[in-house]
Amino acid sequence: MRAARCLAGALLLTAGCGLSSGSPMVDDVSPGSIGRGEPLKGARLTVTSKSFTENLILGAMIGIAFQAAGADVLDRTGIQGSIGSREAVRTGDADAMYEYTGTAWITYLGNSRPIADPRRQWQAVRDADAANGLTWLPPSRLDNTYALAMNQANHRGYRTRTLSEVAALARSDPGAVTLCVEGEFADRADGLRGMEKAYGMDVPASRVTQMDTGIIYTQAAKGSCTYGEVYTTDGRITSMRLVVMDDDKDFFPNYNAAPVVNSGALRKWPAIAGLLDPITKKLDNTVARELNAEVDVDGKDPHQVALEWMKDQGFVK
């Protein structure tokens, strides 16, 4: 979902988008429902992630699972932008991360049209990336895509639940629809321009305000704009009691999170797939919103949030 911010430095992993030196993960964990028999004993594996909250949590989950299975784990999570973490796994500087199907299909593999069916989208990415030395393990239901959301008061007033209904409102009562969006969303073909075309929605530029991501949530919660652009797994949706509009025409790309593993590392340590699959199956938007809120709203450390969840689920002890 998070588009690459460091495209110009994609080939220079040490310049802005690349790996830092990393540090060992030293969680005091043992096998729970995963990792029994320590199938990764003797392995030295590196995990990575992007720098935003959700991906930091997901990267920590991988590292915790590897530790429980007996591996020594180097933590190189938190790489700025999208390209650096992917390149690290592709080149073998890191072994695994959670990536998003839509990001790979559009940003990395250069396709302009997303695939509407989430399973087929994952399969297409999996097949294309095999030639790049990357193995995509089965995806989660966690779909971190775009959406529009409104506060409770506006929802009671306008009663919209879908983007088709937002488009109808914009036609019947143009003054009712104001949008707060990121600059990137405003310019993307899979963002505002494409959404308006797909839904027959015409919101004048004078009623669209561009702002930073975090401000959008607070402005939508205050009602300063009727609808704010949000990410569907953001914890602030729940904490601010925002109502998310259903993308009833399936316009926005699927951004399902899935483990991506360096193919060479997976051949050497095939138990990785079985370790991560139960975790991935538990991940959905509700879980992601709850975990993200613990960091973004409650101020907890992403790694600690991941560890507590892994223990609560019985994956590790």
Side-chain angles (χ1 to χ4, degrees):
M1 175 59 183
R2 315 291 176 152
R5 302 281 199 254
C6 301
L7 288 170
L11 299 179
L12 299 173
L13 292 182
T14 58
C17 293
L19 295 176
S20 61
S21 59
S23 58
M25 281 193 184
V26 291
D27 300 295
D28 184 14
V29 293
S30 58
S33 61
I34 64 172
R36 292 173 182 170
E38 297 191 327
L40 297 184
K41 195 168 184 64
R44 295 181 179 274
L45 299 171
T46 299
V47 297
T48 189
S49 79
K50 306 175 194 185
S51 61
F52 62 92
T53 294
E54 180 176 287
N55 213 238
L56 288 167
I57 294 170
L58 296 177
M61 288 179 185
I62 295 177
I64 292 162
F66 287 176
Q67 289 175 91
D72 291 330
V73 179
L74 187 64
D75 182 358
R76 283 178 170 164
T77 55
I79 297 176
Q80 293 292 323
S82 292
I83 297 292
S85 51
R86 172 184 167 87
E87 282 295 289
V89 179
R90 187 186 68 80
T91 61
D93 287 337
D95 298 294
M97 67 175 295
Y98 269 96
E99 185 54 274
Y100 301 88
T101 54
T103 303
W105 186 244
I106 295 169
T107 302
Y108 307 144
L109 298 171
N111 298 284
S112 58
R113 292 178 177 268
I115 297 173
D117 180 80
R119 187 74 182 181
R120 288 185 56 235
Q121 177 75 94
W122 169 77
Q123 290 171 336
V125 170
R126 176 199 63 187
D127 294 347
D129 253 349
N132 295 320
L134 297 169
T135 299
W136 283 73
L137 301 180
S140 68
R141 289 170 291 152
L142 187 166
D143 180 16
N144 185 0
T145 191
Y146 291 119
L148 294 185
M150 66 197 314
N151 70 9
Q152 294 286 335
N154 280 327
H155 179 60
R156 287 191 297 271
Y158 296 115
R159 309 304 299 174
T160 58
R161 291 189 175 276
T162 69
L163 290 180
S164 289
E165 291 173 351
V166 175
L169 178 63
R171 290 190 293 270
S172 65
D173 186 3
V177 177
T178 56
L179 304 178
C180 293
V181 302
E182 296 172 301
E184 182 181 346
F185 179 81
D187 295 331
R188 286 174 66 116
D190 62 342
L192 178 59
R193 289 185 289 112
M195 180 190 74
E196 287 186 306
K197 182 177 180 181
Y199 282 95
M201 187 188 304
D202 184 14
V203 181
S206 62
R207 305 194 69 79
V208 178
T209 304
Q210 297 182 26
M211 57 187 64
D212 290 340
T213 305
I215 302 174
I216 291 173
Y217 289 84
T218 57
Q219 293 304 303
K222 290 178 181 177
S224 301
C225 49
T226 324
Y227 301 94
E229 168 225 341
V230 298
Y231 297 116
T232 50
T233 60
D234 197 294
R236 289 167 290 192
I237 290 173
T238 300
S239 68
M240 296 181 176
R241 300 182 66 241
L242 299 177
V243 180
V244 176
M245 301 297 103
D246 181 52
D247 179 15
D248 52 306
K249 291 187 177 181
D250 295 322
F251 165 71
F252 290 120
N254 299 295
Y255 290 91
N256 294 93
V260 178
V261 185
N262 177 276
S263 297
L266 188 60
R267 285 192 296 270
K268 185 174 182 180
W269 301 103
I272 287 174
L275 284 169
L276 298 183
D277 188 55
I279 300 168
T280 302
K281 286 179 177 177
K282 284 281 188 179
L283 298 173
D284 60 20
N285 283 12
T286 299
V287 170
R289 285 178 188 174
E290 291 172 353
L291 298 182
N292 290 338
E294 290 189 44
V295 177
D296 293 330
V297 179
D298 301 335
K300 293 184 179 180
D301 175 71
H303 190 101
Q304 189 62 31
V305 168
L307 179 59
E308 290 172 1
W309 184 80
M310 293 278 282
K311 288 184 174 180
D312 288 343
Q313 297 299 313
F315 291 133
V316 301
K317 297 178 181 177

